[in-house]
């Protein structure tokens, strides 16, 4: 058994803290994760690395020894896992739940390690930890061999683009340091790894608890000649080293304009290098210029490369803002708005096909809709399975469409410009992570056709301002009745209008849609697109739809110029609407004959801040229609209301 080293922190810390910090400041940094199945020893391994690298202070060590006696799982010996498992629930259950980040250093390199949870239900946390890692240490319990989570985490690491894989066969002390057992596990893992595209990995026999082959070769494994885990971590090539050889890519994070005499563009260089005098191109606009200065807090630089945060100044006053990408002029990335992507779904609520989410890629944020998945991937069998949506922890391939062009590169070429997250617009939860494969050919072949007659010209001919009057409310609230009265009054006043009614649209344009959440979302998306085209023609469009989801109403609002979407909430309590039940729909829904009926077994998300609210328990349809027309035509003192 490897002797446990006598614990002693580096003497330089006490002798000269400034010298110690300066020494460590100039070391390279490796980010890596530990992952694998439950109880494979991930937290123990990290605790051992922290201990052996002398990154624990005396008071922490004393607390660890005390906690090990109370809560540890190693008898009277130090339980290194307690250094990482900081949550009370983690210590009680002896498992990792959240991603724990720890820093440590050796004489040659600095490290940030993420201890990722092994339970399947916390896969989303594992993806978070892996997203910035250069290397993955995949642990396997020597007694159990390759398990389901081993495969899942290996697949995710490969999917996320981690190029360096270490297969750490842990707890070798519990199998008597058997070489045959080690070779058997490595052979099993290699067969799986090759099937998913992992062509190379480094296999190590270790014991995180005993310290075998962690910092020094162990006498217990004379058949293993190295390298040790720490030696491998110290010498593996960093990702940003390879990135420096690629063309320049710098997403703009901030326009630095402290005074009238200075204008620079700040960001982290994702790949390549740049010097004053280099020609650059700003995307998506395509404008070109020349770099005049590379500014940092410590002064101007003659050159900057991937991994450095800098401010670039240009020779020309070109438009460049947050979200744009500064690239080498002769080797720019692509720009598109339709892509094939791989998605890892991270939310308890399933993907809603057609719903508009925020997509964040680098410093770019755009609105995106996801199509029904082409297939999902069973990580155990690697089978491609048909699916209509993505559930928690599912991995699938789907096409996505953004509302404006996105500067990107395939994820295999660039994590920064190929990896993205999806954010729910209402809750701001991160619901998915994804990797762009390529832009769709139809996106490359379809271009906007310039038209001479503009929407402003159409509106001027009709002597009105285009608008969408979006009536929303429960079935039976009176939306269609009030909308019809409003259109009649506007028509009498000489306005050019068109009314899109929910029932009428389902007889033609949307006759192929049902009433599931996904179909309701697609129903409103199509209506929104039609309404937008009608406003481009200069019309005032009235729509009467339940439109139960706030996200889709906001999606339509975002399609239109500011002030042209007027949300009118026909606010009728459920009991009142159900009492009216003109079409007998509530009765059918209550008896189970009508599924997914809003207000009964499907939710209605009431508007929080509608432009107009109609309380049908206090106001007749005629009174409501008159008030709405007066407000939108400017006949009432409501200066905040856009007039038509």
């Amino acid at each position: 058994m490897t002797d446990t080293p006598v614990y002693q922190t580096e003497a330089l810390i006490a002798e000269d803290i400034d010298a110690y910090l300066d020494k460590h400041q100039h070391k390279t940094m490796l980010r890596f994760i530990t992952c694998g199945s439950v109880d494979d020893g991930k937290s123990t391994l990290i605790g051992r690395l922290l201990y052996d690298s002398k990154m624990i202070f005396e008071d922490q060590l004393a607390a660890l020894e005390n906690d090990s006696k109370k809560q540890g799982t190693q008898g009277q010996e130090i339980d290194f896992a307690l250094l990482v498992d900081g949550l009370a629930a983690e210590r009680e259950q002896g498992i990792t739940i959240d991603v724990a980040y720890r820093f440590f250093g050796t004489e040659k390199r600095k490290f940030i390690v993420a201890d990722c949870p092994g339970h399947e239900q916390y896969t989303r946390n594992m993806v978070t930890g892996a997203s910035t890692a250069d290397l993955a240490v995949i642990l396997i319990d020597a007694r159990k061999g390759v398990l389901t989570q081993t495969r899942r985490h290996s697949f995710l690491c490969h999917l996320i683009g981690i190029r360096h894989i270490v297969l750490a066969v842990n707890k070798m002390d519990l199998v008597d340091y058997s070489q045959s057992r080690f070779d058997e596990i490595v052979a099993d893992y290699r067969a799986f790894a090759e099937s998913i595209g992992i062509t190379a990995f480094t296999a190590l026999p270790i014991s995180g608890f005993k310290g075998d082959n962690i910092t020094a070769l162990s006498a217990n494994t004379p058949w293993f000649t190295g390298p040790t885990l720490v030696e491998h971590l110290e010498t593996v090539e960093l990702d940003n080293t390879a990135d420096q050889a690629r063309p320049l890519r710098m997403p703009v994070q901030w326009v630095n304009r402290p005074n009238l005499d200075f204008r620079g563009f700040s960001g982290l260089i994702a790949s390549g290098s740049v010097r004053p005098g280099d020609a650059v191109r700003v995307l998506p606009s395509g404008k070109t210029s020349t770099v005049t200065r590379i500014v940092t807090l410590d002064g101007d630089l003659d050159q900057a490369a991937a991994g450095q945060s800098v401010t670039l100044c240009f020779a020309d006053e070109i438009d460049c803002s947050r979200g744009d990408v500064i690239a080498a002029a002769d080797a720019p990335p692509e720009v598109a708005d339709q892509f094939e992507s791989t998605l890892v779904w991270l939310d308890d609520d399933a993907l809603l096909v057609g719903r508009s989410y925020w997509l964040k890629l680098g410093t770019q944020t755009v609105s995106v809709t996801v199509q029904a998945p082409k297939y999902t991937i069973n990580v155990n069998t690697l089978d491609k399975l048909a699916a209509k949506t993505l559930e928690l922890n599912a991995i699938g391939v789907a096409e996505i469409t953004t509302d404006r062009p996105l500067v990107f590169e395939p994820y295999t070429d660039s994590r920064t410009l190929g990896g993205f997250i999806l954010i729910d617009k209402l809750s701001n939860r991160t619901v998915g992570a994804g990797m762009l494969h390529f832009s769709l050919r139809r996106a490359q072949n379809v271009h906007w056709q310039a038209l001479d007659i503009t929407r402003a010209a159409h509106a001027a001919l009709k002597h009105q301002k285009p608008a969408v009057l979006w009536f929303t409310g429960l079935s039976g609230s009176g939306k269609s009745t009030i909308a019809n009265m409003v259109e009649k009054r506007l028509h009498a006043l000489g306005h050019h209008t068109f009314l899109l009614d929910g029932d009428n649209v389902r007889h033609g344009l949307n006759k192929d849609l049902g009433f599931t959440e996904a179909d309701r979302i697609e129903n409103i998306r199509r209506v929104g697109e039609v309404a937008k085209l009608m406003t481009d023609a200069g019309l005032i469009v009235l729509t009467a739809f339940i439109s139960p989801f706030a996200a889709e109403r906001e999606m339509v609002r975002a399609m239109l110029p500011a002030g042209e979407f007027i949300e009118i909430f026909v606010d009728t309590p459920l009991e009142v609407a159900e009492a009216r039940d003109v079409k007998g729909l509530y009765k059918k829904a209550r008896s189970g004959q009508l599924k997914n009926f809003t207000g009964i077994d499907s939710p209605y998300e009431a508007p929080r801040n509608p432009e107009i609210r109609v309380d049908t328990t206090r106001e007749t349809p005629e009174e409501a229609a008159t008030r709405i027309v007066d407000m939108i035509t400017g006949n009432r003192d409501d200066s905040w209301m856009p007039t038509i």
Side-chain angles (χ1 to χ4, degrees):
M1 182 177 69
T2 303
D3 294 331
T4 301
V6 177
Y7 192 86
Q8 183 178 358
T9 56
E10 191 171 332
L12 186 60
I13 296 177
E15 294 172 1
D16 189 341
I17 187 64
D18 291 332
Y20 172 81
L21 294 174
D22 183 69
K23 175 182 175 182
H24 282 263
Q25 182 180 358
H26 296 91
K27 293 178 183 178
T28 58
M29 172 78 77
L30 175 73
R31 294 175 177 268
F32 71 97
I33 64 169
T34 59
C35 53
S37 193
V38 178
D39 202 31
D40 278 347
K42 299 179 291 297
S43 299
T44 298
L45 174 61
I46 295 178
R48 166 63 71 174
L49 288 171
L50 294 174
Y51 184 89
D52 287 355
S53 60
K54 302 178 179 62
M55 296 302 294
I56 311 171
F57 295 103
E58 292 181 3
D59 58 337
Q60 292 176 300
L61 181 60
L64 175 63
E65 292 172 344
N66 184 56
D67 289 345
S68 296
K69 295 175 182 178
K70 293 180 179 179
Q71 299 173 292
T73 59
Q74 306 296 340
Q76 294 301 307
E77 298 188 61
I78 293 178
D79 186 351
F80 293 107
L82 296 180
L83 280 171
V84 186
D85 289 339
L87 298 177
E90 293 177 321
R91 294 191 172 202
E92 290 170 1
Q93 300 178 59
I95 64 171
T96 298
I97 296 175
D98 200 3
V99 179
Y101 294 92
R102 292 294 184 269
F103 169 87
F104 71 97
T106 65
E107 291 298 316
K108 296 181 179 179
R109 181 172 276 175
K110 297 179 290 187
F111 304 93
I112 293 178
V113 55
D115 180 24
C116 297
H119 281 68
E120 180 178 350
Q121 70 188 93
Y122 302 121
T123 299
R124 62 184 122 181
N125 294 355
M126 180 267 165
V127 173
T128 301
S131 61
T132 58
D134 303 305
L135 178 146
V137 178
I138 298 175
L139 278 88
I140 292 180
D141 188 326
R143 300 167 300 171
K144 301 175 182 177
V146 178
L147 300 175
T148 298
Q149 277 298 80
T150 312
R151 297 186 181 93
R152 179 184 294 273
H153 285 184
S154 298
F155 182 83
L156 287 170
C157 288
H158 178 63
L159 184 68
I160 288 171
I162 297 178
R163 298 189 298 118
H164 305 289
I165 303 291
V166 174
L167 181 69
V169 182
N170 194 24
K171 303 186 181 181
M172 289 297 296
D173 53 307
L174 301 182
V175 295
D176 297 326
Y177 301 97
S178 169
Q179 181 180 3
S180 61
R181 179 57 177 159
F182 174 76
D183 291 341
E184 178 187 354
I185 291 173
V186 173
D188 288 347
Y189 184 80
R190 177 172 286 109
F192 170 75
E194 290 176 351
S195 71
I196 64 174
I198 297 177
T199 57
F201 60 89
T202 301
L204 308 175
I206 67 169
S207 171
F209 177 51
K210 299 294 185 180
D212 296 283
N213 298 320
I214 304 298
T215 58
L217 290 175
S218 171
N220 294 314
T221 54
W223 43 269
F224 178 70
T225 58
T228 65
L229 177 59
V230 169
E231 181 183 351
H232 181 71
L233 295 176
E234 287 179 331
T235 56
V236 71
E237 180 188 16
L238 296 178
D239 283 353
N240 61 9
T241 302
D243 288 337
Q244 292 176 6
R246 300 182 62 250
L248 173 67
R249 306 284 187 263
M250 192 186 91
V252 177
Q253 186 170 359
W254 176 49
V255 178
N256 187 349
R257 191 72 188 270
N259 54 59
L260 295 176
D261 300 321
F262 184 89
R263 183 168 179 255
F265 309 98
S266 304
L268 173 68
I269 300 177
S271 67
S273 59
V274 62
R275 299 176 180 85
D278 284 355
V280 294
R281 186 181 303 272
V282 177
L283 296 168
S285 70
K287 300 293 185 181
T288 59
S289 187
T290 303
V291 176
T292 57
R293 295 176 61 190
I294 304 174
V295 181
T296 71
L297 184 64
D298 298 322
D300 286 12
L301 301 178
D302 295 329
Q303 179 179 354
Q308 289 182 275
S309 294
V310 297
T311 297
L312 302 182
C313 298
F314 295 160
D316 306 286
E317 290 289 335
I318 62 174
D319 183 22
C320 183
S321 58
R322 175 178 169 82
D324 289 345
V325 176
I326 299 172
D330 57 352
E334 293 183 67
V335 179
D337 61 3
Q338 292 181 312
F339 311 89
E340 181 183 274
S341 67
T342 293
L343 288 174
V344 181
W345 198 251
L346 307 176
D347 197 49
D348 291 322
D349 295 334
L351 163 72
L352 285 174
V353 173
R355 168 156 290 184
S356 180
Y357 296 94
W358 290 122
L359 181 150
K360 184 171 175 56
L361 184 150
T363 59
Q364 303 173 84
T365 301
V366 298
S367 188
V368 66
T369 54
V370 183
Q371 303 304 311
K374 293 182 176 180
Y375 57 85
T376 59
I377 301 169
N378 184 321
V379 297
N380 300 322
T381 64
L382 300 183
D383 290 338
K384 297 178 179 178
L385 308 175
K388 294 183 178 180
T389 184
L390 296 177
E391 305 284 349
L392 175 64
N393 293 331
I395 303 169
V397 172
E399 293 181 359
I400 63 174
T401 302
T402 58
D403 66 337
R404 54 189 173 86
L406 194 67
V407 183
F408 86 102
E409 289 186 302
Y411 188 80
T412 52
D413 296 335
S414 171
R415 282 192 185 184
T416 302
L417 292 181
F420 62 88
I421 60 172
L422 296 181
I423 302 170
D424 184 271
K425 286 188 172 182
L426 294 181
S427 65
N428 285 323
R429 297 193 313 271
T430 298
V431 296
M435 288 68 68
L436 298 177
H437 297 170
F438 50 80
S439 62
L440 301 180
R441 184 172 296 276
R442 62 175 178 265
Q444 299 169 350
N445 294 340
V446 178
H447 306 278
W448 280 104
Q449 176 65 43
L451 302 175
D452 293 330
I453 306 301
T454 64
R455 74 193 315 270
H458 284 297
L461 187 64
K462 297 175 177 62
H463 304 289
Q464 64 185 28
K465 178 181 177 181
V468 172
L469 309 184
W470 192 276
F471 291 80
T472 176
L474 293 171
S475 177
S477 62
K479 301 181 299 300
S480 296
T481 300
I482 298 173
N484 188 51
M485 290 181 178
V486 170
E487 187 184 28
K488 288 171 63 178
R489 285 165 168 73
L490 291 174
H491 184 75
L493 292 172
H495 291 292
H496 298 260
T497 63
F498 194 88
L499 173 58
L500 293 169
D501 181 76
D503 284 351
N504 294 349
V505 166
R506 283 187 176 270
H507 283 291
L509 176 67
N510 293 342
K511 67 188 302 182
D512 60 318
L513 299 177
F515 291 90
T516 65
E517 282 193 73
D519 283 347
R520 287 172 180 268
I521 291 169
E522 176 61 12
N523 181 51
I524 298 304
R525 188 197 69 79
R526 293 182 190 179
V527 170
E529 293 287 356
V530 171
K532 179 180 181 300
L533 290 174
M534 288 184 167
T535 58
D536 287 344
L539 295 176
I540 298 169
V541 184
L542 300 89
T543 71
F545 293 82
I546 295 175
S547 51
F549 305 124
E552 279 58 64
R553 299 194 297 266
E554 289 304 308
M555 174 185 67
V556 179
R557 183 188 294 273
M559 293 179 182
L560 300 165
E564 288 191 12
F565 183 88
I566 302 172
E567 188 175 40
I568 303 172
F569 177 28
V570 183
D571 188 0
T572 302
L574 176 61
E575 59 273 15
V576 175
E578 188 169 0
R580 295 172 182 169
D581 204 11
V582 178
K583 303 173 184 177
L585 300 178
Y586 284 99
K587 184 177 180 180
K588 290 182 179 179
R590 291 292 187 187
S591 65
Q593 299 177 54
L594 190 60
K595 301 295 184 183
N596 301 315
F597 191 74
T598 303
I600 304 301
D601 56 354
S602 184
Y604 177 75
E605 299 171 357
R608 294 182 179 178
N609 297 295
E611 278 76 12
I612 301 175
R613 178 177 176 271
V614 176
D615 183 349
T616 60
T617 64
R618 297 173 177 268
E619 200 170 17
T620 67
E622 292 79 5
E623 292 170 340
T626 299
R627 182 166 65 91
I628 292 169
V629 171
D630 287 346
M631 292 176 73
I632 64 177
T633 57
N635 291 335
R636 284 184 45 160
D637 186 18
D638 294 284
S639 57
W640 55 270
M641 175 61 63
T643 59
I644 60 175

